[in-house]
Amino acid sequence: MKDLIKRFKVADTKKFSLDDYSTDDTLNFKKEEAEDLLAELIEETAKLQNRLYAANSKSLLIIFQAMDAAGKDSAIAHTMSGLNPQGCQVYSFKQPSAEDYEHDFLWRHYKSLPERGRIGIHNRSHYENVLVTKVHPEFILKENIPGIKKVDDIDKKFWQQRYESIRNFESHLAENGTVIIKFFLYLSKDEQKERFLKRIEDSEKNWKFSAADIKERERWKDYMHAYETAIKETSTKECPWYVLPADKKWFTRIAISTIVLHTLKEMKPEYPELPKDEKNGLEETRRLLEEEKN
């Protein structure tokens, strides 16, 4: 577990480069063992989730970011399958609505945060505002920000302020009991091509494919630069990024579950202990039930 976490956690942002990460690493794990291992990880995670829910003190926010076809949806479905739905919330963020654009870029994400005791999963997140908008700065104009009237107004200072807003946002959440972990599912361009072709060839997967995906694929280098910069600017000790190889879905799921389990263990959730008078009340209730006549 420690080797996996150390390998994929972005700890030194000054030296961080996506070139130092592989898209198909498996750390010597075996595919034939993956199903049983994943089941064990989910079982352990579920036990800790029950404690987290009962303690009702902290919450866990898991953020997923990736290029199209990296497997975010299936990763969420497989790694969170054994959790109690009452204590787990999943939000998939699409393009901002007209109402969203009437507020600052963090607004819709803030109102989707997990309550205390719960695990929140954001499929895409506030990071779209320094990823897609970095590649397509014209989208920023829809936000109607004072002083930003044209694309040329979006300068280096603007992006630094936006990264700072994200760091402050996450720091504030951390200080108030929300633990945050962020996953970038690192997919190779070749593997994305293969997955796109499968979506086209399989009629049951046609709905997943959009012609717009190909246009975004043409900006691959721009997106990689945007991801690298965003991760470098926002991976902190309290809210770290993990760059996970995504070419082999079975390993990506093991990596995600391992890190989630490790994070929950570090949170040390415990069942609440009842006050002495309430414990005494339980004993009295037990006595009454045992004496109850059928």
Side-chain angles (χ1 to χ4, degrees), residues 46 49-50 53 80-89:
Q49 184 211 9
N50 285 335
Y53 186 77
M80 306 299 162
S81 61
L83 301 186
N84 182 348
Q86 292 185 96
C88 190
Q89 306 159 342

Side-chain angles (χ1 to χ4, degrees), residues 4 7-10 16-25 61-73 75-76 122-125 127-128 130-132 135 170 180-189 192 195 219-232 234-235 239-248 251-253 255-256 259-260:
L4 187 151
R7 176 69 186 93
F8 302 125
K9 186 176 183 178
V10 179
F16 173 71
S17 171
L18 283 177
D19 291 338
D20 294 331
Y21 291 80
S22 169
T23 62
D24 62 357
D25 198 354
L61 175 60
I62 307 170
I63 291 172
F64 286 86
Q65 290 288 160
M67 295 294 285
D68 290 318
K72 296 188 308 301
D73 293 349
I76 292 169
H122 287 187
N123 185 346
R124 302 193 186 278
S125 68
Y127 280 96
E128 293 294 291
V130 290
L131 295 170
V132 175
V135 178
E170 294 179 352
I180 303 172
I181 51 177
K182 301 170 287 192
F183 295 132
F184 171 45
L185 306 192
Y186 191 23
L187 183 73
S188 68
K189 193 175 183 181
Q192 187 195 56
R195 293 182 188 181
R219 305 292 299 273
W220 188 274
K221 288 185 179 179
D222 295 332
Y223 272 106
M224 291 302 104
H225 178 69
Y227 269 107
E228 186 171 272
T229 304
I231 293 170
K232 185 181 296 186
T234 62
S235 191
C239 305
W241 273 102
Y242 293 88
V243 178
L244 304 182
D247 283 3
K248 295 179 172 58
F251 178 73
T252 308
R253 295 162 188 169
I256 291 168
I259 295 165
V260 170

Side-chain angles (χ1 to χ4, degrees), residues 202-216:
D202 187 343
S203 60
E204 293 184 359
K205 294 183 178 181
N206 286 170
W207 65 274
K208 290 185 175 183
F209 184 77
S210 168
D213 296 338
I214 298 300
K215 290 185 178 181
E216 294 306 288

Side-chain angles (χ1 to χ4, degrees), residues 19-288:
D19 291 338
D20 294 331
Y21 291 80
S22 169
T23 62
D24 62 357
D25 198 354
T26 62
L27 293 184
N28 296 318
F29 281 83
K30 306 297 183 184
K31 184 177 181 179
E32 55 270 22
E33 300 170 356
E35 187 174 344
D36 290 340
L37 177 56
L38 186 61
E40 292 174 10
L41 290 167
I42 291 173
E43 184 178 359
E44 285 190 67
T45 301
K47 291 177 182 177
L48 287 171
Q49 184 211 9
N50 285 335
R51 293 185 184 181
L52 182 74
Y53 186 77
N56 196 38
S57 176
K58 296 181 179 180
S59 59
L60 174 61
L61 175 60
I62 307 170
I63 291 172
F64 286 86
Q65 290 288 160
M67 295 294 285
D68 290 318
K72 296 188 308 301
D73 293 349
S74 62
I76 292 169
H78 282 79
T79 59
M80 306 299 162
S81 61
L83 301 186
N84 182 348
Q86 292 185 96
C88 190
Q89 306 159 342
V90 181
Y91 289 92
S92 294
F93 291 97
K94 306 298 182 182
Q95 292 182 0
S97 67
E99 181 184 19
D100 294 330
Y101 279 128
E102 291 299 318
H103 299 268
D104 68 273
F105 77 95
L106 291 171
W107 177 74
R108 67 172 179 156
H109 304 284
Y110 199 103
K111 66 176 187 168
S112 301
L113 294 171
E115 297 96 330
R116 298 190 189 282
R118 289 167 171 78
I119 296 175
I121 299 161
H122 287 187
N123 185 346
R124 302 193 186 278
S125 68
H126 49 285
Y127 280 96
E128 293 294 291
N129 297 281
V130 290
L131 295 170
V132 175
T133 57
K134 195 76 177 289
V135 178
H136 298 282
E138 63 273 15
F139 292 166
I140 295 290
L141 301 182
K142 296 181 180 181
E143 298 181 31
N144 200 27
I145 300 171
I148 304 295
K149 301 300 181 183
K150 56 186 183 300
V151 169
D152 288 344
D153 295 329
I154 307 169
D155 55 12
K156 184 177 180 180
K157 181 180 178 182
F158 171 87
W159 293 115
Q160 289 304 318
Q161 289 175 336
R162 186 148 284 198
Y163 294 130
E164 184 178 5
S165 293
I166 289 175
R167 289 193 299 268
N168 290 339
F169 170 62
E170 294 179 352
S171 178
H172 171 73
L173 296 179
E175 289 173 359
N176 286 274
T178 298
V179 174
I180 303 172
I181 51 177
K182 301 170 287 192
F183 295 132
F184 171 45
L185 306 192
Y186 191 23
L187 183 73
S188 68
K189 193 175 183 181
D190 287 342
E191 181 62 23
Q192 187 195 56
K193 176 182 176 180
E194 291 302 313
R195 293 182 188 181
F196 277 170
L197 288 171
K198 288 179 180 178
R199 288 181 178 183
I200 294 171
E201 294 164 1
D202 187 343
S203 60
E204 293 184 359
K205 294 183 178 181
N206 286 170
W207 65 274
K208 290 185 175 183
F209 184 77
S210 168
D213 296 338
I214 298 300
K215 290 185 178 181
E216 294 306 288
R217 179 177 164 83
E218 293 172 358
R219 305 292 299 273
W220 188 274
K221 288 185 179 179
D222 295 332
Y223 272 106
M224 291 302 104
H225 178 69
Y227 269 107
E228 186 171 272
T229 304
I231 293 170
K232 185 181 296 186
E233 290 285 346
T234 62
S235 191
T236 63
K237 184 177 180 180
E238 57 188 4
C239 305
W241 273 102
Y242 293 88
V243 178
L244 304 182
D247 283 3
K248 295 179 172 58
K249 290 184 178 181
W250 62 268
F251 178 73
T252 308
R253 295 162 188 169
I254 288 175
I256 291 168
S257 291
T258 298
I259 295 165
V260 170
L261 177 59
H262 170 76
T263 304
L264 283 169
K265 285 181 176 179
E266 285 199 326
M267 292 171 70
K268 299 178 180 178
E270 295 293 343
Y271 291 111
E273 187 172 344
L274 293 177
K276 187 175 180 180
D277 59 336
E278 290 188 33
K279 281 187 176 182
N280 292 337
L282 288 178
E283 290 302 316
E284 177 63 16
T285 300
R286 190 218 303 263
R287 184 185 65 79
L288 292 172

